């Protein structure tokens, strides 16, 4: 297992990049601690797979360094980095049995056959592959093949880290939760550094202790699932995490707070000062649909919004409102009474975020 550090790392597929827009990975510094379970989450094209391939050694970065336990590994091949990588589509040796697929990396190391058998049996038991050990890999289902791919990485004692590049894409939806749970169990049992690339926030949240959210070639936030949900440090994190995503409204600074159209939102004095001290082009407020307070009765101190639409999703409802031209989503419990025509709402101060040029304005306690 290894600690993986990225120092001033950047990558462009252009031989002569002229600006940030020419970089698939913009300059970043980041550390994956030894033995951690991490997810790299973001939409297609944000640079997730590029970053994973740089860590594994399949791709050399244009700039910066990759360090394993403090040692620069830029010039080392994937084999010498002792990295195991599981790809989107299962990579197995179809003509070999499951046993021989799992034994292959151990035999390449010259391990004694008795020890090979012991290790293969151990990993097969962990992955529920024992009944399949004598079967040819070509006769396996997609999820069984993917478990074999995972097993080839896990069977090695010397592996520095296991990198997963959207490994459940080809797996039937009803089997995904089983494999996610299995990966979590494996991490807890073997304490291996794992980095899991996905565009699915549910996969990321159920697998990882911490999630790195990527957007536009950068890691815009790194934190626990709860931190990403409750305090997004970038508007993209607010929008991308959650269902529905965070409500975002462009506002202007006003005495006592911020406003838009005919609506004024009061802010704490410390946050007002922070806005005044900050240079920005755009200013936005954000609040999650779960945190908007819907009053049961009309309230004079509340904001008045028009009801546009109600979606009943079984376990909860999503209310769509119009607040002075801003469209808001409100998530309600199934048993919560629904307003008709107009709704009285308020934004609790602890859940109202202010973003300058898409980054959260932090106030020192």
């Amino acid at each position: 297992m290894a600690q993986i550090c990225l120092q001033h790392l950047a990558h462009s597929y252009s031989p002569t990049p002229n600006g940030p827009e020419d970089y698939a990975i913009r300059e970043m510094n980041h550390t994956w601690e030894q033995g951690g379970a991490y997810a790299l989450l973001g939409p297609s094209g944000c640079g997730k797979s590029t970053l994973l391939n740089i860590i594994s050694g399949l791709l050399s970065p244009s700039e910066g360094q990759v360090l394993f336990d403090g040692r620069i590994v830029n010039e080392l091949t994937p084999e010498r980095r002792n990295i195991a990588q599981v790809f989107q589509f299962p990579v197995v040796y179809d003509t070999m049995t499951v046993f021989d697929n799992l034994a292959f990396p151990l035999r390449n190391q010259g391990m004694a056959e008795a020890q090979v058998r012991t290790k293969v049996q151990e990993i097969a038991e962990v992955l529920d592959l024992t009944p399949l050990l004598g079967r040819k890999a070509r006769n396996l289902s997609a999820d069984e093949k993917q478990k074999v791919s995972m097993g080839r990485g896990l069977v090695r004692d010397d592996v520095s880290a296991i990198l997963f590049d959207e490994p459940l894409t080809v797996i039937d939806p009803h089997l995904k939760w089983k494999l996610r749970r299995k990966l979590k169990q494996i991490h807890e049992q073997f304490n291996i550094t794992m980095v899991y690339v996905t565009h699915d926030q549910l996969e990321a949240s159920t697998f990882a202790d911490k999630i790195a959210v990527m957007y536009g070639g950068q890691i815009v936030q790194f934190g626990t699932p709860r931190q990403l949900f409750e305090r997004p440090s970038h508007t993209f994190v607010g929008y991308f995490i959650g269902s529905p995503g965070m409500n975002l409204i462009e506002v202007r600074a006003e005495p006592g707070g911020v406003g838009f159209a005919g609506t004024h939102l009061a802010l704490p004095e410390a946050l007002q000062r922070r806005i005044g001290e900050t240079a920005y082009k755009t200013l936005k407020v954000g609040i999650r649909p779960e945190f908007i307070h819907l009053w049961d009765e009309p309230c004079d101190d509340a904001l008045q919004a028009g009801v546009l639409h109600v979606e009943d999703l079984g376990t909860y409802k999503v209310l769509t409102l119009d607040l002075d031209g801003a469209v808001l989503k409100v998530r309600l419990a199934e048993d919560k009474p629904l307003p008709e025509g107009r709704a009285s709402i308020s934004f609790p101060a602890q859940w109202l975020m202010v973003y300058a040029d898409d980054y959260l304005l932090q106030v020192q306690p």
Side-chain angles (χ1 to χ4, degrees):
M1 288 74 75
Q3 180 195 68
I4 302 171
C5 292
L6 312 177
Q7 292 185 349
H8 305 293
L9 189 79
H11 185 73
S12 175
Y13 290 102
S14 169
T16 55
N18 295 314
E21 67 279 359
D22 292 332
Y23 281 83
I25 301 293
R26 302 188 188 190
E27 184 174 339
M28 68 170 66
N29 293 282
H30 190 72
T31 298
W32 313 98
E33 295 294 347
Q34 178 177 321
Y38 302 105
L40 195 55
L41 174 67
S44 297
C46 71
K48 304 186 303 294
S49 294
T50 296
L51 183 56
L52 205 70
N53 289 336
I54 288 173
I55 293 171
S56 70
L58 292 175
L59 187 64
S60 296
S62 306
E63 303 167 21
Q65 298 173 328
V66 180
L67 292 86
F68 284 14
D69 291 333
R71 177 192 179 199
I72 298 173
V73 297
N74 286 39
E75 303 303 321
L76 297 185
T77 63
E79 180 184 10
R80 293 178 63 197
R81 294 186 193 193
N82 291 326
I83 285 289
Q85 192 161 354
V86 179
F87 296 94
Q88 184 173 353
F89 299 99
V91 179
V92 297
Y93 302 111
D94 278 343
T95 58
M96 291 185 183
T97 63
V98 171
F99 182 95
D100 289 334
N101 266 275
L102 296 176
F104 188 78
L106 302 179
R107 288 169 174 162
N108 275 353
Q109 294 174 343
M111 184 179 287
E113 195 62 27
Q115 195 174 353
V116 168
R117 185 168 296 278
T118 300
K119 286 294 297 180
V120 169
Q121 292 286 355
E122 178 187 0
I123 295 303
E125 186 173 340
V126 168
L127 288 168
D128 299 326
L129 289 172
T130 303
L132 306 176
L133 285 175
R135 189 181 298 183
K136 294 285 188 182
R138 62 170 172 262
N139 298 323
L140 303 179
S141 63
D143 63 295
E144 290 168 343
K145 288 183 178 180
Q146 196 61 296
K147 286 200 287 186
V148 173
S149 292
M150 294 174 188
R152 281 212 307 272
L154 292 167
V155 78
R156 293 165 50 194
D157 287 326
D158 65 337
V159 67
S160 298
I162 302 182
L163 311 180
F164 300 94
D165 193 354
E166 305 210 37
L168 303 185
T169 301
V170 299
I171 307 302
D172 289 340
H174 71 283
L175 293 172
K176 284 187 177 183
W177 72 270
K178 289 185 177 180
L179 281 182
R180 281 200 302 267
R181 186 182 64 178
K182 183 60 66 177
L183 282 176
K184 191 70 174 177
Q185 290 173 348
I186 288 167
H187 176 260
E188 291 170 356
Q189 181 174 345
F190 293 98
N191 195 35
I192 298 172
T193 306
M194 292 184 175
V195 182
Y196 186 106
V197 164
T198 180
H199 62 272
D200 186 322
Q201 60 175 290
L202 178 61
E203 283 188 15
S205 298
T206 53
F207 168 77
D209 300 322
K210 284 192 173 183
I211 299 171
V213 181
M214 285 199 72
Y215 175 67
Q218 295 177 300
I219 294 177
V220 291
Q221 188 168 0
F222 181 59
T224 65
R226 181 173 181 173
Q227 289 168 339
L228 300 182
F229 184 80
E230 293 187 352
R231 201 162 180 80
S233 63
H234 191 279
T235 54
F236 175 77
V237 180
Y239 165 79
F240 195 68
I241 302 290
S243 181
M246 175 177 267
N247 295 294
L248 295 163
I249 308 170
E250 190 160 342
V251 295
R252 61 184 178 275
E254 294 180 346
V258 294
F260 65 97
T263 296
H264 176 79
L265 302 174
L267 296 176
E269 288 186 10
L271 191 50
Q272 293 178 48
R273 287 195 300 270
R274 185 77 175 87
I275 292 172
E277 297 165 355
T278 303
Y280 57 84
K281 294 180 180 178
T282 63
L283 192 67
K284 296 176 183 177
V285 294
I287 188 166
R288 289 212 176 271
E290 293 84 351
F291 298 149
I292 294 178
H293 181 73
L294 180 67
W295 294 85
D296 292 336
E297 301 291 339
C299 178
D300 293 338
D301 294 333
L303 302 169
Q304 302 301 313
V307 178
L308 299 179
H309 185 60
V310 177
E311 298 172 82
D312 190 340
L313 300 177
T315 55
Y316 63 92
K317 295 184 177 73
V318 175
L319 191 63
T320 304
L321 305 178
D322 179 347
L323 178 63
D324 273 342
V327 176
L328 301 175
K329 300 288 187 181
V330 181
R331 182 164 165 162
L332 301 176
E334 179 64 21
D335 58 354
K336 183 80 173 177
L338 291 171
E340 295 184 5
R342 303 287 292 175
S344 295
I345 61 172
S346 56
F347 300 158
Q350 70 267 37
W351 301 122
L352 184 65
M353 309 291 151
V354 179
Y355 296 89
D357 293 338
D358 294 319
Y359 283 92
L360 179 66
L361 286 181
Q362 306 276 5
V363 176
Q364 297 298 325

